[in-house]
PDB file of all heavy atoms in Angstrom:
ATOM      1  N   PRO X 247      75.239 115.680   8.730  1.00 94.00           N
ATOM      2  CA  PRO X 247      74.520 116.905   8.383  1.00 94.00           C
ATOM      3  C   PRO X 247      75.473 118.039   8.006  1.00 94.00           C
ATOM      4  O   PRO X 247      76.272 118.497   8.823  1.00 94.00           O
ATOM      5  CB  PRO X 247      73.761 117.252   9.673  1.00 94.00           C
ATOM      6  CG  PRO X 247      73.858 116.030  10.537  1.00 94.00           C
ATOM      7  CD  PRO X 247      75.127 115.356  10.147  1.00 94.00           C
ATOM      8  N   THR X 248      75.379 118.518   6.767  1.00 91.00           N
ATOM      9  CA  THR X 248      76.205 119.638   6.320  1.00 91.00           C
ATOM     10  C   THR X 248      75.358 120.685   5.608  1.00 91.00           C
ATOM     11  O   THR X 248      75.901 121.539   4.902  1.00 91.00           O
ATOM     12  CB  THR X 248      77.334 119.161   5.378  1.00 91.00           C
ATOM     13  OG1 THR X 248      76.756 118.536   4.223  1.00 91.00           O
ATOM     14  CG2 THR X 248      78.250 118.166   6.074  1.00 91.00           C
ATOM     15  N   GLY X 249      74.028 120.613   5.757  1.00 85.00           N
ATOM     16  CA  GLY X 249      73.148 121.553   5.080  1.00 85.00           C
ATOM     17  C   GLY X 249      72.822 122.760   5.936  1.00 85.00           C
ATOM     18  O   GLY X 249      73.473 123.040   6.948  1.00 85.00           O
ATOM     19  N   THR X 250      71.765 123.481   5.541  1.00 80.00           N
ATOM     20  CA  THR X 250      71.353 124.684   6.253  1.00 80.00           C
ATOM     21  C   THR X 250      70.472 124.355   7.445  1.00 80.00           C
ATOM     22  O   THR X 250      70.692 124.830   8.559  1.00 80.00           O
ATOM     23  CB  THR X 250      70.601 125.634   5.300  1.00 80.00           C
ATOM     24  OG1 THR X 250      71.434 125.940   4.183  1.00 80.00           O
ATOM     25  CG2 THR X 250      70.214 126.919   6.018  1.00 80.00           C
ATOM     26  N   GLY X 251      69.442 123.525   7.216  1.00 82.00           N
ATOM     27  CA  GLY X 251      68.496 123.231   8.286  1.00 82.00           C
ATOM     28  C   GLY X 251      68.846 121.990   9.082  1.00 82.00           C
ATOM     29  O   GLY X 251      68.853 121.994  10.305  1.00 82.00           O
ATOM     30  N   ASN X 252      69.141 120.884   8.372  1.00 91.00           N
ATOM     31  CA  ASN X 252      69.434 119.599   9.015  1.00 91.00           C
ATOM     32  C   ASN X 252      68.355 119.230  10.032  1.00 91.00           C
ATOM     33  O   ASN X 252      68.638 118.822  11.157  1.00 91.00           O
ATOM     34  CB  ASN X 252      70.811 119.640   9.705  1.00 91.00           C
ATOM     35  CG  ASN X 252      71.922 120.059   8.764  1.00 91.00           C
ATOM     36  OD1 ASN X 252      72.054 119.528   7.662  1.00 91.00           O
ATOM     37  ND2 ASN X 252      72.714 121.022   9.186  1.00 91.00           N
ATOM     38  N   LEU X 253      67.105 119.373   9.606  1.00 92.00           N
ATOM     39  CA  LEU X 253      66.006 119.256  10.565  1.00 92.00           C
ATOM     40  C   LEU X 253      65.814 117.840  11.091  1.00 92.00           C
ATOM     41  O   LEU X 253      65.494 117.657  12.266  1.00 92.00           O
ATOM     42  CB  LEU X 253      64.706 119.764   9.928  1.00 92.00           C
ATOM     43  CG  LEU X 253      64.660 121.263   9.652  1.00 92.00           C
ATOM     44  CD1 LEU X 253      63.304 121.659   9.078  1.00 92.00           C
ATOM     45  CD2 LEU X 253      64.937 122.060  10.917  1.00 92.00           C
ATOM     46  N   LEU X 254      65.991 116.822  10.252  1.00 94.00           N
ATOM     47  CA  LEU X 254      65.825 115.463  10.765  1.00 94.00           C
ATOM     48  C   LEU X 254      66.875 115.179  11.826  1.00 94.00           C
ATOM     49  O   LEU X 254      66.559 114.627  12.893  1.00 94.00           O
ATOM     50  CB  LEU X 254      65.919 114.434   9.638  1.00 94.00           C
ATOM     51  CG  LEU X 254      65.716 112.990  10.103  1.00 94.00           C
ATOM     52  CD1 LEU X 254      64.323 112.790  10.698  1.00 94.00           C
ATOM     53  CD2 LEU X 254      65.943 111.992   8.973  1.00 94.00           C
ATOM     54  N   ALA X 255      68.116 115.546  11.559  1.00 94.00           N
ATOM     55  CA  ALA X 255      69.177 115.322  12.541  1.00 94.00           C
ATOM     56  C   ALA X 255      68.874 116.055  13.842  1.00 94.00           C
ATOM     57  O   ALA X 255      69.063 115.512  14.938  1.00 94.00           O
ATOM     58  CB  ALA X 255      70.517 115.777  11.974  1.00 94.00           C
ATOM     59  N   ARG X 256      68.389 117.278  13.756  1.00 91.00           N
ATOM     60  CA  ARG X 256      68.073 118.051  14.968  1.00 91.00           C
ATOM     61  C   ARG X 256      66.924 117.406  15.736  1.00 91.00           C
ATOM     62  O   ARG X 256      66.945 117.337  16.971  1.00 91.00           O
ATOM     63  CB  ARG X 256      67.720 119.490  14.596  1.00 91.00           C
ATOM     64  CG  ARG X 256      68.880 120.279  14.013  1.00 91.00           C
ATOM     65  CD  ARG X 256      68.464 121.702  13.663  1.00 91.00           C
ATOM     66  NE  ARG X 256      69.475 122.392  12.893  1.00 91.00           N
ATOM     67  CZ  ARG X 256      70.536 122.997  13.401  1.00 91.00           C
ATOM     68  NH1 ARG X 256      70.719 123.010  14.708  1.00 91.00           N
ATOM     69  NH2 ARG X 256      71.415 123.602  12.618  1.00 91.00           N
ATOM     70  N   ASN X 257      65.903 116.957  15.017  1.00 91.00           N
ATOM     71  CA  ASN X 257      64.766 116.334  15.683  1.00 91.00           C
ATOM     72  C   ASN X 257      65.126 115.002  16.324  1.00 91.00           C
ATOM     73  O   ASN X 257      64.473 114.571  17.277  1.00 91.00           O
ATOM     74  CB  ASN X 257      63.613 116.160  14.699  1.00 91.00           C
ATOM     75  CG  ASN X 257      62.784 117.422  14.525  1.00 91.00           C
ATOM     76  OD1 ASN X 257      61.808 117.641  15.232  1.00 91.00           O
ATOM     77  ND2 ASN X 257      63.175 118.270  13.587  1.00 91.00           N
ATOM     78  N   LEU X 258      66.166 114.348  15.805  1.00 92.00           N
ATOM     79  CA  LEU X 258      66.625 113.092  16.386  1.00 92.00           C
ATOM     80  C   LEU X 258      67.656 113.304  17.481  1.00 92.00           C
ATOM     81  O   LEU X 258      68.096 112.345  18.121  1.00 92.00           O
ATOM     82  CB  LEU X 258      67.228 112.202  15.294  1.00 92.00           C
ATOM     83  CG  LEU X 258      66.250 111.598  14.288  1.00 92.00           C
ATOM     84  CD1 LEU X 258      66.999 110.939  13.141  1.00 92.00           C
ATOM     85  CD2 LEU X 258      65.325 110.593  14.968  1.00 92.00           C
ATOM     86  N   GLY X 259      68.066 114.564  17.686  1.00 89.00           N
ATOM     87  CA  GLY X 259      69.070 114.853  18.701  1.00 89.00           C
ATOM     88  C   GLY X 259      70.467 114.450  18.303  1.00 89.00           C
ATOM     89  O   GLY X 259      71.330 114.227  19.166  1.00 89.00           O
ATOM     90  N   LEU X 260      70.736 114.382  16.985  1.00 91.00           N
ATOM     91  CA  LEU X 260      72.066 113.998  16.510  1.00 91.00           C
ATOM     92  C   LEU X 260      72.976 115.221  16.437  1.00 91.00           C
ATOM     93  O   LEU X 260      72.514 116.356  16.339  1.00 91.00           O
ATOM     94  CB  LEU X 260      71.958 113.356  15.119  1.00 91.00           C
ATOM     95  CG  LEU X 260      71.047 112.147  14.998  1.00 91.00           C
ATOM     96  CD1 LEU X 260      71.063 111.613  13.568  1.00 91.00           C
ATOM     97  CD2 LEU X 260      71.466 111.048  15.974  1.00 91.00           C
ATOM     98  N   ALA X 261      74.275 114.975  16.463  1.00 86.00           N
ATOM     99  CA  ALA X 261      75.242 116.066  16.364  1.00 86.00           C
ATOM    100  C   ALA X 261      75.192 116.670  14.961  1.00 86.00           C
ATOM    101  O   ALA X 261      75.274 115.949  13.971  1.00 86.00           O
ATOM    102  CB  ALA X 261      76.646 115.541  16.662  1.00 86.00           C
ATOM    103  N   VAL X 262      75.039 117.992  14.889  1.00 89.00           N
ATOM    104  CA  VAL X 262      74.979 118.648  13.582  1.00 89.00           C
ATOM    105  C   VAL X 262      76.211 119.501  13.301  1.00 89.00           C
ATOM    106  O   VAL X 262      76.346 120.046  12.212  1.00 89.00           O
ATOM    107  CB  VAL X 262      73.709 119.517  13.454  1.00 89.00           C
ATOM    108  CG1 VAL X 262      72.464 118.662  13.510  1.00 89.00           C
ATOM    109  CG2 VAL X 262      73.669 120.591  14.538  1.00 89.00           C
ATOM    110  N   ASN X 263      77.099 119.615  14.253  1.00 87.00           N
ATOM    111  CA  ASN X 263      78.301 120.421  14.058  1.00 87.00           C
ATOM    112  C   ASN X 263      79.573 119.627  14.335  1.00 87.00           C
ATOM    113  O   ASN X 263      80.616 120.209  14.620  1.00 87.00           O
ATOM    114  CB  ASN X 263      78.251 121.662  14.966  1.00 87.00           C
ATOM    115  CG  ASN X 263      77.098 122.583  14.614  1.00 87.00           C
ATOM    116  OD1 ASN X 263      76.917 122.944  13.455  1.00 87.00           O
ATOM    117  ND2 ASN X 263      76.318 122.960  15.614  1.00 87.00           N
ATOM    118  N   ASP X 264      79.479 118.317  14.250  1.00 94.00           N
ATOM    119  CA  ASP X 264      80.626 117.460  14.535  1.00 94.00           C
ATOM    120  C   ASP X 264      80.717 116.391  13.455  1.00 94.00           C
ATOM    121  O   ASP X 264      80.195 115.286  13.604  1.00 94.00           O
ATOM    122  CB  ASP X 264      80.485 116.834  15.921  1.00 94.00           C
ATOM    123  CG  ASP X 264      81.766 116.165  16.396  1.00 94.00           C
ATOM    124  OD1 ASP X 264      82.598 115.792  15.542  1.00 94.00           O
ATOM    125  OD2 ASP X 264      81.931 116.002  17.630  1.00 94.00           O
ATOM    126  N   LEU X 265      81.366 116.724  12.358  1.00 96.00           N
ATOM    127  CA  LEU X 265      81.440 115.823  11.214  1.00 96.00           C
ATOM    128  C   LEU X 265      82.123 114.508  11.581  1.00 96.00           C
ATOM    129  O   LEU X 265      81.656 113.433  11.202  1.00 96.00           O
ATOM    130  CB  LEU X 265      82.166 116.520  10.062  1.00 96.00           C
ATOM    131  CG  LEU X 265      82.301 115.764   8.735  1.00 96.00           C
ATOM    132  CD1 LEU X 265      82.293 116.750   7.565  1.00 96.00           C
ATOM    133  CD2 LEU X 265      83.584 114.926   8.683  1.00 96.00           C
ATOM    134  N   GLU X 266      83.227 114.601  12.293  1.00 96.00           N
ATOM    135  CA  GLU X 266      83.976 113.393  12.627  1.00 96.00           C
ATOM    136  C   GLU X 266      83.146 112.447  13.491  1.00 96.00           C
ATOM    137  O   GLU X 266      83.176 111.224  13.291  1.00 96.00           O
ATOM    138  CB  GLU X 266      85.271 113.772  13.353  1.00 96.00           C
ATOM    139  CG  GLU X 266      86.351 114.351  12.450  1.00 96.00           C
ATOM    140  CD  GLU X 266      86.067 115.795  12.024  1.00 96.00           C
ATOM    141  OE1 GLU X 266      85.208 116.451  12.660  1.00 96.00           O
ATOM    142  OE2 GLU X 266      86.698 116.258  11.067  1.00 96.00           O
TER     143      GLU X 266
END
Side-chain angles (χ1 to χ4, degrees):
T248 60
T250 303
N252 306 311
L253 292 183
L254 182 62
R256 294 180 190 277
N257 278 270
L258 289 171
L260 303 181
V262 296
N263 296 310
D264 192 337
L265 183 148
E266 285 75 16

